Amino acid sequence: MRRLLKRLAQGIFFLLAFYYGLCTLALLAYRFWFPPVTGVQLQRCIESWLAGESCRRTYLPRPRAQLSEQLACAVVAAEDTRFYTHWGFDWEALREAWEANRRQQRIRRGGSTLTQQLVKNLFMTTHRSYLRKAMEAPLTLLAELLLSKERILTLYLNVVEWGPGIYGAEAAARYHYGKPAHQLTRYEAAALAACLPAPLRRRPQQMGWYTSIILERMRLLGC
């Protein structure tokens, strides 16, 4: 039994080392290129196939110059106001999420930073668990070490889910507003950012209350 457990532990170690090695190579590549597909995109396609439906995927990655800076500011204001000052983890947000989840006895809040959300989108799925959070941690540190803050934000804007089969800012702007991402107004950018906590359910036209909050946060951030 001891020998079996030792072999099992070694197998798990080598599997994790192989997985993180592949992720490291991918992050190095993503310094220059956009991912051809992400973990969340694969998850949604598998879910569609299991439901007997075809996989819908609109994914139109664009360089930062072709994205609205208002949208970049709105996403930071909505999702991670301390993005430029932390190294991948917002410990205050994590503490608040832990307390909220403990009170409700279920995982309702994640307290994730943009970097954590990026690695989740790239390499994992949307399923919430403490195991996923633990596996996220090394990838978050790797992303912060290998990518600049601006590259992390650019990748996030291009891969994040923004509706059923809608991935990234360009696809979201065309889907919700019928225009390219660089033409978004300040209000439209804030309204799109308001959808991110629940992109499959929320629509920007329904998020006026939260859009106003994000606009105020943008003002306080000076952008």
Side-chain angles (χ1 to χ4, degrees), residues 88-101:
F89 302 96
D90 186 337
W91 300 110
E92 181 62 22
L94 287 171
R95 184 191 63 78
E96 292 171 358
W98 174 271
E99 289 296 325
N101 294 335

Side-chain angles (χ1 to χ4, degrees), residues 28-219:
L28 287 170
Y30 298 160
R31 294 174 66 175
F32 311 101
W33 300 287
F34 292 110
V37 69
T38 70
V40 170
Q41 291 173 14
L42 290 173
Q43 174 198 346
R44 297 305 187 201
C45 281
I46 292 171
E47 290 172 348
S48 296
W49 293 331
L50 291 176
E53 303 170 356
S54 61
C55 175
R56 295 185 299 164
R57 185 175 80 118
T58 305
Y59 174 47
L60 306 168
R62 295 287 188 268
R64 185 65 171 272
Q66 295 181 28
L67 301 179
S68 164
E69 283 303 312
Q70 299 284 352
L71 182 60
C73 177
V75 167
V76 171
E79 297 291 290
D80 187 1
T81 56
R82 291 183 281 269
F83 173 65
Y84 289 103
T85 60
H86 63 61
W87 284 85
F89 302 96
D90 186 337
W91 300 110
E92 181 62 22
L94 287 171
R95 184 191 63 78
E96 292 171 358
W98 174 271
E99 289 296 325
N101 294 335
R102 184 180 60 81
R103 288 193 302 269
Q104 299 179 34
Q105 297 185 338
R106 59 184 299 189
I107 301 176
R108 295 293 300 274
R109 292 179 57 183
S112 295
T113 63
L114 286 178
T115 313
Q116 289 174 283
Q117 292 182 49
L118 173 64
V119 298
K120 177 198 73 176
N121 275 274
L122 291 176
F123 305 119
M124 299 185 179
T125 69
T126 61
H127 300 107
R128 291 180 174 180
S129 71
Y130 289 116
L131 175 62
R132 195 204 76 192
K133 282 289 183 184
M135 292 187 67
E136 249 179 41
L139 292 175
T140 300
L141 292 173
L142 280 171
E144 288 282 341
L145 286 170
L146 299 176
L147 304 172
S148 68
K149 285 289 188 179
E150 291 306 320
R151 186 58 180 172
I152 289 171
L153 183 54
T154 298
L155 285 169
Y156 180 83
L157 290 170
N158 275 289
V159 304
V160 69
E161 190 174 34
W162 241 309
I166 306 299
Y167 302 97
E170 183 70 18
R174 293 181 182 275
Y175 177 75
H176 290 292
Y177 291 111
K179 63 172 69 174
H182 72 272
Q183 292 182 2
L184 290 170
T185 67
R186 186 177 179 84
Y187 185 89
E188 289 168 344
L192 278 179
C195 297
L196 286 178
L200 298 183
R201 299 194 309 270
R202 294 184 177 184
R203 297 294 179 269
Q205 296 80 7
Q206 303 168 346
M207 300 305 299
W209 63 274
Y210 190 29
T211 300
S212 298
I213 294 173
I214 294 172
L215 286 168
E216 176 60 18
R217 290 180 187 172
M218 292 169 68
R219 185 187 67 80

